[in-house]
Amino acid sequence: MLKTLEPTQETFQQFEKKYKALADAKRLEILHLVQKHSSVCVCDLAEMIDMPQSKLSYHLKLLLEAGYLTVKKKGTWNYYSIHDEELNNVLSPELCCLFRNEDKC
Amino acid sequence: MLKTLEPTQETFQQFEKKYKALADAKRLEILHLVQKHSSVCVCDLAEMIDMPQSKLSYHLKLLLEAGYLTVKKKGTWNYYSIHDEELNNVLSPELCCLFRNEDKC
DNA sequence: TTTATATATCAAAAAAAATTGATATATAGA
DNA sequence: TCTATATATCAATTTTTTTTGATATATAAA
């Protein structure tokens, strides 16, 4: 059908969560760094961004819960990567360039 | 030049502000309602969204400062409208449909 | 001029989010 | 097995954001 459905309260709440995760300079920097390195473990990232580990883990958790990151465990290390589809759903194409490597950028 | 510039701390802070403004279900609803009505005054909007006027003015201020809205004064009334360009800069095309009327939606 | 209405803003209180330091768990390597 | 490292999580504190009710300002209408 062609008709646009009226967004519900729930819709707005879902986007609130998505945007809240992006509403922090440090988390945006984290996303950018993760993108740049494709896959990074917490300790390396903590060094790059100069942030205490527990703090970083907190921010990673928010980004993860919002769907912007994925994790893979390797031994004691947790490697984080960008979840492109989720980011693309939310960000304008111009902004995606900040968080993805694309030919067109 | 073709090379992508590294984003600075300042860049991330600017986007933090942009996303913060969107990181609230009520503000998203406000944006949607303003879009739907093209141009609305505070008192009408307050009724539509069932929100005390001072609270609404607070949220309108944040959206205005983030650049997503414009105001026009007519007598005692302040009419708010969507600032499309700003929204488009930040939102994915799919999301813009929530806040704009477009042929393709 | 007086009265009523629309709006923004302010200060105080409440609520939510972020930071910190400590600790628990799991794994790798000696 | 023992030790060291990577990570997540927790409780307490601090910071930021939101809400509330009151008030000031401006305009319109009587």
Side-chain angles (χ1 to χ4, degrees):
Chain A
M1 68 175 175
L2 291 171
K3 198 170 174 309
T4 306
L5 250 17
E6 267 303 293
T8 63
Q9 214 60 37
E10 213 178 318
T11 306
F12 293 125
Q13 275 161 13
Q14 283 166 358
F15 284 114
E16 169 177 322
K17 188 169 185 181
K18 296 276 178 195
Y19 287 122
K20 232 168 215 163
L22 300 175
D24 181 281
K26 280 295 171 188
R27 286 197 288 274
L28 292 173
E29 195 180 347
I30 290 169
L31 282 179
H32 176 66
L33 282 171
V34 172
Q35 171 271 133
K36 222 173 119 185
H37 294 81
S38 297
S39 179
V40 213
C41 66
V42 180
C43 57
D44 287 352
L45 198 51
E47 208 167 288
M48 289 180 215
I49 209 174
D50 189 30
M51 186 183 273
Q53 177 267 314
S54 71
K55 191 173 170 180
L56 177 55
S57 281
Y58 167 73
H59 288 297
L60 286 172
K61 191 183 183 185
L62 295 188
L63 290 169
L64 194 65
E65 286 175 352
Y68 298 129
L69 293 177
T70 59
V71 219
K72 240 181 208 165
K73 183 161 196 142
K74 280 186 194 167
T76 18
W77 291 268
N78 273 186
Y79 285 86
Y80 285 83
S81 305
I82 294 285
H83 191 216
D84 289 290
E85 287 163 24
E86 275 301 311
L87 268 182
N88 295 353
N89 276 341
V90 167
L91 301 187
S92 72
E94 306 91 62
L95 287 189
C96 282
C97 296
L98 273 179
F99 308 109
R100 294 195 303 160
N101 287 313
E102 293 200 344
D103 294 344
K104 60 184 172 190
C105 292
Chain B
M1 68 175 173
L2 290 172
K3 198 172 174 308
T4 306
L5 250 16
E6 267 303 294
T8 63
Q9 214 61 39
E10 212 178 317
T11 307
F12 293 125
Q13 275 161 15
Q14 282 165 358
F15 283 114
E16 169 178 322
K17 187 167 186 184
K18 296 276 178 196
Y19 286 122
K20 232 169 215 163
L22 299 176
D24 181 282
K26 281 295 171 190
R27 286 197 288 273
L28 292 172
E29 195 180 347
I30 290 169
L31 281 180
H32 175 67
L33 282 171
V34 172
Q35 171 271 133
K36 224 175 115 184
H37 293 83
S38 295
S39 178
V40 213
C41 67
V42 180
C43 58
D44 287 352
L45 197 52
E47 207 167 290
M48 289 180 214
I49 209 175
D50 189 31
M51 186 184 273
Q53 177 267 317
S54 72
K55 191 172 170 179
L56 178 55
S57 281
Y58 167 73
H59 288 295
L60 286 172
K61 192 184 183 186
L62 294 189
L63 290 169
L64 194 66
E65 285 175 352
Y68 298 129
L69 293 178
T70 59
V71 220
K72 239 181 208 164
K73 183 158 195 145
K74 280 187 194 168
T76 19
W77 289 267
N78 273 185
Y79 284 87
Y80 285 83
S81 304
I82 295 285
H83 191 216
D84 289 290
E85 286 164 24
E86 273 303 310
L87 267 182
N88 296 352
N89 276 342
V90 167
L91 301 187
S92 72
E94 306 89 63
L95 287 189
C96 282
C97 296
L98 274 178
F99 307 108
R100 291 198 303 162
N101 287 313
E102 292 200 343
D103 294 343
K104 60 184 172 187
C105 294

